[in-house]
Amino acid sequence: MSYPKSFYFSCLLLLLFVIKSCTKTKPESKLNFELTFDQNLVEGDQTGRLVLLLSKTDEREPRFSLTDGPDTQLGFGLDVENWNGQNALTFQGDTYGYPIKNMGDIPAGKYYIQAILNRYKEFNLSTGHKVMLPPDMGEGQQWNRKPGNIYSKPMAIEIGANGGDFKINLDQIIPHIESPEDTKYIKHIKMKSDLLSKFWGEDTYLGAHVLLPEGFDEHPEAKYPLMIFHGHFPSDFSGFRTSPPDPDMKPEYSARFGVDGYNVMVQQEAYDFYKKWTGPDFPRMIIIEIQHPTPYYDDSYAVNSASQGPYGDAITYELIPHIEEQFRGIGEGWARFLYGGSTGGWEALAVQVMYPDEYNGCFAACPDPVDFRAYTSMDIYSEDNAYYYTSDFKRPLRPGHRNYLGRVDATTEDMNLRELVLGTKSRSGQQFDIWEATYSPQGEDGYPVRLWDKKTGEINKEVAEYWKENYDLSHIIKRDWKTLGPKLEGKIHVYCGDMDNYYLNNAVYLIEEVLEATEEPYYNGEVDYGDRAEHCWNGDQENPNHISRLRYNTMYIPKIIKRIEASAPKGADLKSWRY
């Protein structure tokens, strides 16, 4: 039997209706957050990075709960420009976030929510660019602790299956930080850098915490060698305490090291160092910890760079001589030594390589990547993507962080997407962004050029080549050994755990190959590894990592004395400071 075409068409419509009726569809989530701020807290309209944070727990404020690891909570970020606090800004379903990329995908449930504005200011650089960046406010470039940043109190909310509308007002401001006071042994200095002030277009300062030797006032004729500790922003001189551990302090468990009462151990080690420092026959010298934060990070990486300016020259030619003049340093390259771990390990080696005549030795523990063929878990020269290994049929993720057994708890993509929530244009104040701010050329907009696309991980080979020629320490040593070799012989000491959490040992293996291949002269230094040791192992083969990391000074001072005895020029002062 034949039916008209209209009959078949009607049947098709009926079938589609039945299918649609029987299919359960997830209701569209309409989630909106309207944010305002109290205009009495700050003057004028505000520009910066506005971060909205949600947490499933109230154990700590949401602003302290965004991490790379599995315990991270949620964060979403917006760039804001000339924001008038009375005009609400809206976070909606497509707002970019980490680890959930779109706000509209947040599951229903109870959350604790908080917002914070990392405030920017304009810098008029000597390069002719105007850039908006978060100035350091004495805290070491910490977005969630920065004095002057405004935020809201944590608030409990309930997100329903269909989303919800929420209003948040930023009505709190982080207070000013008091500077530490001088003591008999520890002095604090701050000096204006002419070089940096010219670059940044405003007065820019360098600081340092100075540990003076026992007998400094009683021996005015003495002049001292100088130890320069590089590392993250120090609020005061660390690891030095003139009294025993506080008897009323409650012992705390360290999840990082799996040790009970670690806070007590830290104070005990600091007191033990004080007793050695002031004891008889201990070498008398000066130790400094430098403060050199930039708008991009808690320190500058101590080298000259296109986007941060001449920090290497400023530290070496302005700050160091200023300290030596004020505190009777010997003031010559043979009497200056560099040391540090992680960021500080890279800085110690980089400064030694880039200013070979100005320093007489570096002790670089667990350094940041010193060879970009092993830039954490990737080779930026031969590989195309920072987040995924090359494969025809798979997308294997690159690991970013592991424990000493190799268990991965964060990928490189995780780390970078978290940074992207905290800031665009390399402004997150975090690890991968400061490497770009230090190593990359300056873009036409005045900000660092990305090594890779922050969302996709695609590597820019032109930028990688710029990194290679200017900041790949292994490449620079190999390329320039003919001139560098005679100046670096006996000065390079590198230490790393072979299970470094950030895969930094891979680059150390590569630079060791370069160093061992040197001739005329042979580098005549030291590279050593800690078996199953995590970040930040520093050369101690006898003690666990949680103890050795507290003994940098007492570990390296004997090595420094040997170096001085072997290399000091004829007529050098080897006696006035040995009392």
Side-chain angles (χ1 to χ4, degrees), residues 52-66 70-76 98-100 105-114 154-160:
L52 183 66
L53 303 122
L54 294 90
S55 176
K56 296 293 288 185
T57 175
D58 63 350
E59 292 182 0
R60 56 181 178 173
E61 293 184 41
R63 61 183 164 130
F64 302 124
S65 300
L66 199 65
D71 61 344
T72 188
Q73 300 303 296
L74 302 176
F76 300 85
Y98 162 85
I100 293 177
D105 294 330
I106 297 176
K110 181 179 178 180
Y111 294 90
Y112 297 90
I113 189 165
Q114 185 176 37
M155 178 176 66
I157 64 169
E158 186 80 28
I159 296 177

Side-chain angles (χ1 to χ4, degrees), residues 64-219:
F64 302 124
S65 300
L66 199 65
T67 69
D68 292 326
D71 61 344
T72 188
Q73 300 303 296
L74 302 176
F76 300 85
L78 281 178
D79 282 334
V80 299
E81 185 174 354
N82 299 322
W83 178 27
N84 182 312
Q86 292 181 331
N87 298 327
L89 287 177
T90 303
F91 281 68
Q92 296 178 319
D94 60 350
T95 302
Y96 183 78
Y98 162 85
I100 293 177
K101 294 182 179 180
N102 293 307
M103 181 169 281
D105 294 330
I106 297 176
K110 181 179 178 180
Y111 294 90
Y112 297 90
I113 189 165
Q114 185 176 37
I116 183 169
L117 177 65
N118 191 14
R119 300 168 61 197
Y120 293 171
K121 64 171 287 186
E122 184 177 83
F123 292 89
N124 296 295
L125 306 183
S126 63
T127 58
H129 300 95
K130 292 184 178 181
V131 292
M132 300 298 297
L133 297 167
D136 182 75
M137 300 295 289
E139 87 298 347
Q141 206 51 261
Q142 303 298 314
W143 63 275
N144 50 11
R145 299 181 185 273
K146 183 187 295 295
N149 278 356
I150 55 177
Y151 65 101
S152 65
K153 292 180 180 179
M155 178 176 66
I157 64 169
E158 186 80 28
I159 296 177
N162 296 321
D165 294 296
F166 304 94
K167 298 182 184 299
I168 301 170
N169 185 44
L170 284 68
D171 58 359
Q172 306 292 310
I173 188 166
I174 301 175
H176 172 73
I177 295 175
E178 295 295 330
S179 299
E181 296 183 357
D182 286 353
T183 67
K184 174 183 176 181
Y185 294 102
I186 299 175
K187 309 299 180 183
H188 307 89
I189 69 165
K190 184 177 181 179
M191 65 158 288
K192 177 183 173 182
S193 164
D194 292 335
L195 291 171
L196 296 174
S197 297
K198 180 180 179 181
F199 177 84
W200 287 103
E202 65 178 42
D203 290 350
T204 304
Y205 295 84
L206 294 169
H209 309 307
V210 182
L211 178 63
L212 297 179
E214 175 71 6
F216 179 82
D217 292 330
E218 292 78 16
H219 294 268

Side-chain angles (χ1 to χ4, degrees), residues 1-22:
M1 181 180 292
S2 176
Y3 294 98
K5 292 183 179 180
S6 59
F7 173 80
Y8 292 105
F9 182 72
S10 299
C11 290
L12 178 60
L13 290 178
L14 178 61
L15 178 62
L16 291 174
F17 175 78
V18 171
I19 293 173
K20 184 176 181 181
S21 300
C22 295

Side-chain angles (χ1 to χ4, degrees), residues 2 37 55 92 102 125 199 201 208 224 243 268-269 271 273 277 281-282 297 380 408 493 512 534 572:
S2 176
F37 71 83
S55 176
Q92 296 178 319
N102 293 307
L125 306 183
F199 177 84
Y224 303 95
S243 58
Q268 184 63 55
E269 287 290 328
Y271 179 56
F273 176 53
W277 184 255
D281 301 323
F282 195 84
Y297 199 54
I380 67 171
V408 176
H493 309 265
E512 182 184 22
E534 295 182 84

